[in-house]
Amino acid sequence: MRSDDFKQGSLFISDNGASKGVSRVLLTEQQVNARVQELGQTLTRDYSNREVVFLAVLKGALYFLTDLIRNVDLPLTVGVTSIERSLVDGEYNISSTIRDHSMIKGKHVVIVEDIVDTGHTIAALIKSVEEQSPTSIKVCTLLDKVSKREVEVPVDYLGFEIPPLFVVGYGLDYEEYYRNLPFIGVIEDASWDPVSELRAKSQKSNS
Ligand code: 5GP
């Protein structure tokens, strides 16, 4: 499904299987691709003559990462990290597992994220990257819901600032679906609320 084929106002459920459909396009494929290209050129300029590790957060940022690095003309390596969210004594806790962390020590690291919302995920990630003694850390995110921020985090490279909507596509999922959309679409009446999800899960397992 290309953004041009998307009929405004029509609910798109298609074969995706998710329980909610995409109601509109927020950013077209062309807008996303053009901005990713610009970001790649800016990174190339900013890190000229230096080697960079691009560290992507699984799974959503993989799509952005692969397009981004193809627009970066530098010697670079790629790493991935996964995020674990849990409730520890009722408190929301985020931890990250960096695979192959030996590649980070003494290197310039660019953390690649699909979206920053409250900022908790990036804050946890920066902390765990810092523990690996890199030379520098910068954050590059495709989308940022600035109005939802709960903790202050640096966003050094930004694709688009967006309103507080639930968005999918270009790696972002709803119930694991829609990652393959080449544009950013909106799902109305959906929200990103990991704390409530975790609470509901723990209540279920306790009952
Ligand atoms: P934060 O910790 O900043 O609140 O949340 C960042 C993470 O929340 C992202 O990596 C992503 O997994 C998820 N997220 C936040 N907003 C959205 C959204 O609108 N759509 C989707 N699919 N995921 C989101």
Side-chain angles (χ1 to χ4, degrees), residues 102-168:
S102 59
M103 69 191 296
I104 288 175
K105 196 171 181 261
K107 296 284 170 58
H108 296 286
V109 176
V110 174
I111 297 174
V112 179
E113 243 302 28
D114 45 12
I115 189 163
V116 179
D117 187 311
T118 62
H120 290 292
T121 307
I122 279 293
L125 199 52
I126 290 175
K127 199 165 157 252
S128 61
V129 174
E130 271 169 356
E131 284 163 10
Q132 311 304 323
S133 313
T135 300
S136 69
I137 307 174
K138 299 273 183 195
V139 173
C140 176
T141 182
L142 180 68
L143 306 174
D144 191 356
K145 296 187 206 171
V146 180
S147 60
K148 297 277 298 293
R149 199 71 93 250
E150 290 174 10
V151 287
E152 209 178 302
V153 287
V155 171
D156 304 287
Y157 298 93
L158 170 64
F160 303 92
E161 183 180 327
I162 62 163
L165 299 163
F166 187 85
V167 291
V168 293

Side-chain angles (χ1 to χ4, degrees), residues 21-36:
V22 176
S23 55
R24 66 191 163 95
V25 175
L26 184 68
L27 296 164
T28 65
E29 184 179 353
Q30 291 82 352
Q31 285 174 304
V32 172
N33 291 346
R35 189 71 191 115
V36 172

Side-chain angles (χ1 to χ4, degrees), residues 42 45 67 69 103 114 140 169 172 202:
T42 306
R45 232 183 16 247
D67 285 348
I69 60 168
M103 69 191 296
D114 45 12
C140 176
L172 288 151
S202 86

Side-chain angles (χ1 to χ4, degrees), residues 42-133:
T42 306
L43 283 157
T44 304
R45 232 183 16 247
D46 290 359
Y47 285 90
S48 84
N49 298 321
R50 282 180 284 172
E51 191 178 318
V52 186
V53 180
F54 283 82
L55 189 66
V57 186
L58 291 173
K59 304 171 195 169
L62 281 184
Y63 303 71
F64 176 35
L65 171 84
T66 53
D67 285 348
L68 181 68
I69 60 168
R70 278 179 284 188
N71 286 288
V72 175
D73 187 11
L74 293 170
L76 64 86
T77 57
V78 165
V80 289
T81 173
S82 53
I83 296 290
E84 296 85 39
R85 298 182 168 92
S86 57
L87 286 178
V88 180
D89 298 330
E91 288 285 308
Y92 182 43
N93 185 62
I94 304 179
S95 59
S96 78
T97 310
I98 299 170
R99 297 166 206 208
D100 200 9
H101 41 74
S102 59
M103 69 191 296
I104 288 175
K105 196 171 181 261
K107 296 284 170 58
H108 296 286
V109 176
V110 174
I111 297 174
V112 179
E113 243 302 28
D114 45 12
I115 189 163
V116 179
D117 187 311
T118 62
H120 290 292
T121 307
I122 279 293
L125 199 52
I126 290 175
K127 199 165 157 252
S128 61
V129 174
E130 271 169 356
E131 284 163 10
Q132 311 304 323
S133 313

